[in-house]
Amino acid sequence: MNATYVPADYLPVLIQLGLALGFIVTTMLVTHNIGPKRHSEKKDDPFECGIPVQGDARTPISIKYFLIAILFVLFDVEVIFLYPWAVNFKGLGVAGFVEMVLFMGLLLAGFYYIIRKGVLKWE
């Protein structure tokens, strides 16, 4: 397919982009100008769930926390693949069974690697 495009072909896209940006800017300006401007110490004080602020929000968190969270999500997503396989188990036949055994083997190999590296040991 050998089509040539001219700048006028992009005019609808540019119009839509301009309208979207105009709407965003207009909305921000209007809400900023007509919104209430009553400031007080109590109103400007940040809170979360009604609990008073304590300490600094920039406290360092151990990388172990994030690593375990990522591993949980990874293995949780892997388990999701078991549901469609279980529903279609009979229809997939021997080939589907072999593929799932291979999938589970790779999953368990990854889990074994994680245990051997000591990633799940919390100190």
Side-chain angles (χ1 to χ4, degrees), residues 15 26 39 41 44 46 53 60 67 72 85 89-90 92-93 101 105:
I15 290 172
T26 304
H39 294 285
E41 183 180 340
D44 293 337
V53 178
L67 188 57
F72 172 75
W85 175 76
F89 178 71
K90 289 184 179 179
L92 295 174
V101 168

Side-chain angles (χ1 to χ4, degrees), residues 44-93:
D44 293 337
D45 189 32
F47 71 96
E48 185 167 331
C49 302
I51 300 171
V53 178
Q54 295 178 356
D56 185 16
R58 306 264 186 252
T59 56
I61 298 174
S62 174
I63 191 69
K64 287 277 196 185
Y65 174 77
F66 296 106
L67 188 57
I68 288 178
I70 289 170
L71 290 173
F72 172 75
V73 170
L74 176 69
F75 284 103
D76 192 42
V77 169
E78 300 289 337
V79 169
I80 291 172
F81 288 118
L82 293 175
Y83 289 111
W85 175 76
V87 170
N88 298 318
F89 178 71
K90 289 184 179 179
L92 295 174

Side-chain angles (χ1 to χ4, degrees), residues 3-4 6-7 18-19 28 30 36 53-54 57 67-69 77 80 87 94 100 105 113 116 123:
T4 58
V6 294
L19 288 173
M28 289 179 68
V30 168
V53 178
Q54 295 178 356
L67 188 57
I68 288 178
V77 169
I80 291 172
V87 170
V94 176
M100 187 50 71
Y113 176 76
R116 294 289 292 164
E123 296 154 3

Side-chain angles (χ1 to χ4, degrees), residues 2 5 9-10 30 32 52 63 71 79 91 94 102-103 105-106 109 115 120-121 123:
N2 194 4
Y5 295 103
D9 293 337
Y10 295 105
V30 168
H32 180 71
I63 191 69
L71 290 173
V79 169
V94 176
L102 180 65
F103 174 74
L106 290 172
I115 290 175
L120 299 177
K121 290 183 183 173
E123 296 154 3

Side-chain angles (χ1 to χ4, degrees), residues 2-48:
N2 194 4
T4 58
Y5 295 103
V6 294
D9 293 337
Y10 295 105
L11 188 61
V13 174
L14 294 175
I15 290 172
Q16 186 174 6
L17 180 66
L19 288 173
L21 289 175
F23 175 76
I24 292 169
V25 169
T26 304
T27 304
M28 289 179 68
L29 290 174
V30 168
T31 56
H32 180 71
N33 289 330
I34 68 171
K37 298 188 177 38
R38 288 171 267 150
H39 294 285
S40 67
E41 183 180 340
K42 196 70 166 166
K43 186 174 180 179
D44 293 337
D45 189 32
F47 71 96
E48 185 167 331

